[in-house]
């Protein structure tokens, strides 16, 4: 089995009167991640610390926990193996999230929480040390100047990763602490803040990164490896920060009502100032194992057909034109079996019949190695192969986590919410629909539809339905949680799936707070029976609970 090591550390939080007082005692088993005494010693040590903060964030997102669990919870890929909480969180009917500190798959919530705060702690330590050295040694005579260390570059990159980490906490958890470099953790009193406030703080931090980068010229070289083998100029950092802001603004919504209330004008502005090329850090599995993407390794299918992943029928089934998907939906969950899809979407199926491979999915026609006793509803005829080169290269190569097509489709959604140009919406959809899917173009004459419309590729489908289809197919296995966060905002999660996660149980015990959880029948923050699924004829509304 392809094993991956972990950073281990201790995040100590002390509670008084229900509030946090004091924070952060980090013990890190990583020679490239020095402790506080070391990083405050020299400007070069601070530069080394800052250079590792994106890696801290990456480990909180793209490693197996939480990425694999979020993918199956969104019915993007399907897997009944117990690893990384996949079996539990994708079981039907859904069950509440197990938030016990003893739960074997608690990494799904602990990784984003603790690794997120590791990133925040390291960025804050670095920013505080920068201010301390400049204050003690002077603006012109400090060791940064003497050694030629670019302070603006350190500050912009630190604020960038501080914002990304807070954004992740806002997307995942019902509440979190907002911790900046201005806070003295030895004396401060912090309160857990709701996810909306944490998202606002994250966007403000990214604004600070943008402002610093706009006022200064710098380059992070690929050789430095701060962002895994990429050259990142100040201009590119600005674009990345804008695109991440667009994501956070849209995806923090827990319900369709919150999704509709997003500041879509701000999202459009972010997109217009965002990435112009795909963001794909370079995976380099050199034994250090920081720079790898679990979804693109375990989420795709080897040619043998005996791997970890199938494409969930709720991911590719809406493209079926034979009636097989509707029959599958109408079959009791426990009795569902593999069926063959017929579709004109060439990403799913080639032109030579039902058993021909598409561009993004390969036909296997069998149940993989999944155990029938764990639910034949996990079975699927197709498996994802879009990122197969990364797997075959043993976790080396580009790791696409933000695509220009994702931004196009988020732009299209923003226009749909705000009554924007239907011609532009169709153009944005056709950027992928036509060349990749080889489907007929969407047009401004198509019905607009509504947020509740089901995913569909059909010519007769609404623009909303076509947007959902493009987003689901094009962004599969890219950024951790992207499909999950979209589905909850669209109201398309399977009923009783948790729409957010609780603070990890072990952390609640440290904080002296009562254990709680989300999801399951009648549970708090459970997805309602409100999602839409399509039929092959009239595309009628159907519950995703089944």
């Amino acid at each position: 089995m392809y094993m991956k090591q972990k950073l281990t550390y201790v995040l100590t939080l002390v509670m008084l009167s229900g509030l946090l007082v004091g924070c952060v005692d980090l013990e890190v088993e990583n020679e490239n991640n020095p402790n506080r005494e070391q990083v405050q010693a020299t400007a070069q040590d601070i530069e080394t610390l800052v250079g590792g903060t994106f890696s801290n964030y990456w480990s909180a997102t793209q490693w197996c926990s939480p990425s694999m669990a979020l993918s199956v919870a969104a019915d993007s890929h399907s897997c009944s193996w117990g690893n990384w909480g996949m079996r539990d969180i994708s079981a039907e009917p859904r069950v509440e999230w197990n938030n016990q500190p003893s739960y074997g798959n608690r990494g799904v919530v602990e990784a984003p929480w603790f690794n997120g705060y590791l990133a925040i702690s390291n960025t804050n330590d670095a920013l505080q040390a920068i201010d301390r050295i400049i204050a003690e040694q002077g603006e012109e005579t400090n060791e940064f100047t003497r050694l030629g260390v670019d302070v603006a570059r350190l500050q912009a990159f630190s604020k960038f990763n501080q914002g990304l980490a807070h954004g992740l906490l806002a997307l995942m958890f019902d509440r979190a602490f907002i911790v900046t470099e201005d806070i003295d953790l030895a004396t401060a009193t912090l309160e857990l803040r709701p996810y909306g406030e944490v998202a606002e703080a994250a966007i403000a931090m990214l604004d600070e990164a943008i402002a610093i980068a706009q006022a200064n010229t710098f380059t992070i070289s690929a050789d430095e490896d701060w962002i895994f083998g990429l050259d990142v100029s100040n201009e590119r950092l600005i674009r990345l920060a804008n695109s991440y802001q667009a994501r956070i603004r849209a995806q923090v919504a827990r319900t369709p009502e919150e999704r509709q209330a997003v500041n879509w004008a701000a999202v459009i502005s972010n997109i217009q100032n965002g990435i112009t090329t795909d963001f794909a850090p370079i995976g380099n599995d050199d034994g250090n194992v920081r720079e790898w993407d679990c979804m693109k390794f375990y989420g795709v299918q080897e040619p043998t057909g005996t791997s970890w992943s199938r494409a969930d029928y709720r991911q590719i089934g809406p493209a079926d034109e034979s009636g097989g998907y509707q029959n599958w939906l109408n079959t009791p969950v426990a009795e569902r079996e593999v069926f063959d899809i017929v579709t004109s979407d060439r990403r799913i199926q080639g032109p030579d019949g039902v058993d021909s491979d598409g561009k993004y999915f390969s036909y296997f026609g069998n149940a993989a190695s999944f155990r029938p006793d764990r639910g034949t509803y996990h079975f699927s005829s197709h498996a994802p192969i879009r990122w197969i080169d990364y797997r075959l290269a043993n976790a080396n190569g580009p790791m696409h986590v933000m695509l220009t097509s994702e931004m196009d489709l988020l732009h299209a959604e923003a226009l749909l919410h705000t009554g924007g140009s239907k011609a532009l919406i169709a153009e944005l959809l056709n950027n992928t629909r036509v060349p990749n899917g080889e489907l007929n173009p969407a047009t401004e004459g198509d019905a607009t539809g509504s947020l509740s419309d089901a995913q569909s590729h059909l010519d007769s489908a609404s623009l909303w339905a076509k947007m959902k289809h493009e987003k689901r197919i094009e962004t599969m296995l890219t950024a951790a949680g992207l499909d999950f966060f979209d589905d909850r905002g669209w109201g398309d999660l399977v009923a009783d799936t948790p729409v957010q996660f609780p603070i990890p149980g072990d952390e609640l015990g440290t904080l002296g707070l009562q254990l709680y959880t989300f999801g399951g029948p009648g549970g708090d923050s459970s997805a309602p029976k409100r999602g839409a699924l399509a039929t092959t004829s009239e595309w009628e509304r159907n519950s995703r609970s089944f």
Side-chain angles (χ1 to χ4, degrees):
M1 179 177 175
Y2 197 84
M3 299 301 294
K4 295 291 176 182
Q5 300 170 341
K6 294 183 179 179
L7 290 172
T8 59
Y9 54 89
V10 177
L11 180 60
T12 301
L13 302 174
V14 181
M15 295 295 296
L16 292 177
S17 302
L19 303 179
L20 178 68
V21 181
C23 178
V24 189
D25 174 19
L26 291 176
E27 299 175 4
V28 183
E29 296 179 3
N30 187 330
E31 293 179 358
N32 295 321
N33 201 355
N35 62 37
R36 177 171 293 178
E37 288 72 22
Q38 291 173 316
V39 302
Q40 290 187 349
T42 71
Q44 290 175 325
D45 287 331
I46 295 169
E47 190 171 45
T48 298
L49 180 68
V50 171
T53 54
F54 181 77
S55 177
N56 301 149
Y57 166 73
W58 185 270
S59 68
T61 56
Q62 296 301 123
W63 286 9
C64 298
S65 291
S67 66
M68 296 293 275
L70 294 176
S71 180
V72 296
D75 298 299
S76 182
H77 91 277
S78 178
C79 187
S80 61
W81 296 118
N83 305 64
W84 314 304
M86 290 188 295
R87 178 188 176 192
D88 293 341
I89 203 167
S90 66
E92 293 191 50
R94 294 290 202 246
V95 297
E96 69 177 12
W97 173 252
N98 186 342
N99 202 31
Q100 293 292 334
S102 59
Y103 177 47
N105 293 307
R106 60 190 179 276
V108 172
V109 291
E110 288 190 350
W113 182 269
F114 289 116
N115 286 353
Y117 277 113
L118 176 60
I120 292 166
S121 176
N122 286 346
T123 60
N124 290 348
D125 283 353
L127 291 166
Q128 289 170 350
I130 291 168
D131 290 343
R132 175 182 57 79
I133 289 174
I134 292 175
E136 292 175 355
Q137 301 179 10
E139 290 284 347
E140 303 297 331
T141 59
N142 64 74
E143 63 183 277
F144 295 110
T145 301
R146 294 197 304 272
L147 296 172
V149 175
D150 191 331
V151 170
R153 189 177 78 143
L154 298 179
Q155 292 170 325
F157 196 68
S158 294
K159 296 303 293 189
F160 174 71
N161 289 299
Q162 185 190 65
L164 294 190
H166 279 89
L168 171 63
L169 294 168
L171 294 178
M172 281 285 297
F173 300 101
D174 63 316
R175 48 190 175 148
F177 297 108
I178 299 170
V179 189
T180 70
E181 73 278 10
D182 299 323
I183 295 172
D184 182 353
L185 292 166
T187 60
T189 298
L190 299 179
E191 297 182 45
L192 289 163
R193 307 308 304 169
Y195 61 83
E197 291 184 23
V198 181
E200 290 175 0
I203 290 167
M205 293 164 190
L206 290 168
D207 276 337
E208 290 184 74
I210 290 169
I212 297 168
Q214 287 174 332
N216 298 274
T217 300
F218 56 78
T219 297
I220 299 163
S221 73
D223 290 341
E224 291 177 289
D225 206 36
W226 287 15
I227 302 189
F228 304 171
L230 296 184
D231 289 316
V232 180
S233 66
N234 60 300
E235 291 91 349
R236 190 175 188 187
L237 192 69
I238 291 167
R239 291 193 175 278
L240 283 170
N242 269 285
S243 292
Y244 273 105
Q245 283 182 323
R247 262 192 192 165
I248 294 167
R249 290 182 196 277
Q251 295 195 321
V252 73
R254 267 51 174 180
T255 66
E257 292 76 20
E258 289 186 5
R259 187 88 171 196
Q260 290 170 319
V262 163
N263 183 346
W264 290 106
V267 171
I268 292 173
S269 177
N270 285 144
I271 293 169
Q272 290 171 336
N273 291 287
I275 61 169
T276 56
T277 59
D278 292 345
F279 180 45
I282 308 300
N284 178 22
D285 184 20
D286 59 357
N288 194 351
V289 305
R290 296 178 303 126
E291 303 175 9
W292 87 297
D293 188 321
C294 183
M295 287 196 299
K296 294 175 187 62
F297 189 85
Y298 286 122
V300 301
Q301 182 69 66
E302 289 182 330
T304 58
T306 58
S307 190
W308 291 75
S309 182
R310 282 288 191 266
D312 197 291
Y313 273 136
R314 291 195 180 96
Q315 172 79 357
I316 59 174
D320 176 56
E321 299 162 9
S322 71
Y325 180 54
Q326 188 60 43
N327 292 336
W328 186 84
L329 293 178
N330 292 336
T331 300
V333 170
E335 299 173 18
R336 290 176 182 165
E337 295 282 355
V338 171
F339 72 93
D340 284 338
I341 288 175
V342 176
T343 181
S344 54
D345 190 327
R346 292 295 167 249
R347 291 164 292 194
I348 300 170
Q349 183 179 101
D352 298 325
V354 297
D355 59 351
S356 59
D357 292 345
K359 297 175 182 177
Y360 296 177
F361 300 91
S362 182
Y363 176 85
F364 288 93
N366 58 53
S369 52
F370 299 165
R371 288 172 46 174
D373 61 309
R374 293 186 175 184
T376 57
Y377 56 88
H378 290 291
F379 295 176
S380 169
S381 57
H382 286 69
I385 57 168
R386 187 179 183 187
W387 312 116
I388 189 64
D389 288 347
Y390 175 78
R391 182 182 176 96
L392 295 179
N394 199 30
N396 289 276
M399 303 178 291
H400 292 78
V401 291
M402 183 179 285
L403 309 179
T404 55
S405 58
E406 176 196 338
M407 292 295 112
D408 283 348
L409 295 165
L410 186 57
H411 190 179
E413 181 181 355
L415 295 170
L416 286 166
H417 280 290
T418 57
S421 165
K422 292 179 68 176
L424 179 54
I425 293 168
E427 178 184 336
L428 292 166
L429 300 183
N430 290 335
N431 286 341
T432 53
R433 176 179 170 85
V434 175
N436 299 348
E438 299 184 32
L439 298 165
N440 292 327
T443 73
E444 61 181 314
D446 292 341
T448 301
S450 69
L451 177 59
S452 63
D453 285 359
Q455 171 188 345
S456 171
H457 71 299
L458 293 182
D459 291 347
S460 58
S462 71
L463 292 173
W464 266 105
K466 290 173 181 174
M467 183 278 295
K468 285 186 178 183
H469 181 76
E470 291 303 306
K471 188 80 176 288
R472 292 274 295 184
I473 299 299
E474 287 293 328
T475 63
M476 183 181 179
L477 301 178
T478 55
L482 190 149
D483 40 17
F484 177 85
F485 302 137
D486 277 344
D487 262 18
R488 73 178 176 194
W490 294 340
D492 287 345
L493 287 174
V494 166
D496 299 325
T497 304
V499 300
Q500 60 186 350
F501 292 88
I503 294 169
D506 188 55
E507 182 75 317
L508 290 172
T510 300
L511 299 174
L513 298 177
Q514 184 175 356
L515 189 77
Y516 69 99
T517 193
F518 295 131
D524 292 334
S525 292
S526 292
K529 296 179 181 181
R530 63 191 304 169
L533 283 175
T535 67
T536 55
S537 54
E538 300 298 325
W539 295 82
E540 299 167 342
R541 293 287 305 280
N542 291 278
S543 167
R544 288 192 78 163
S545 59
F546 307 114

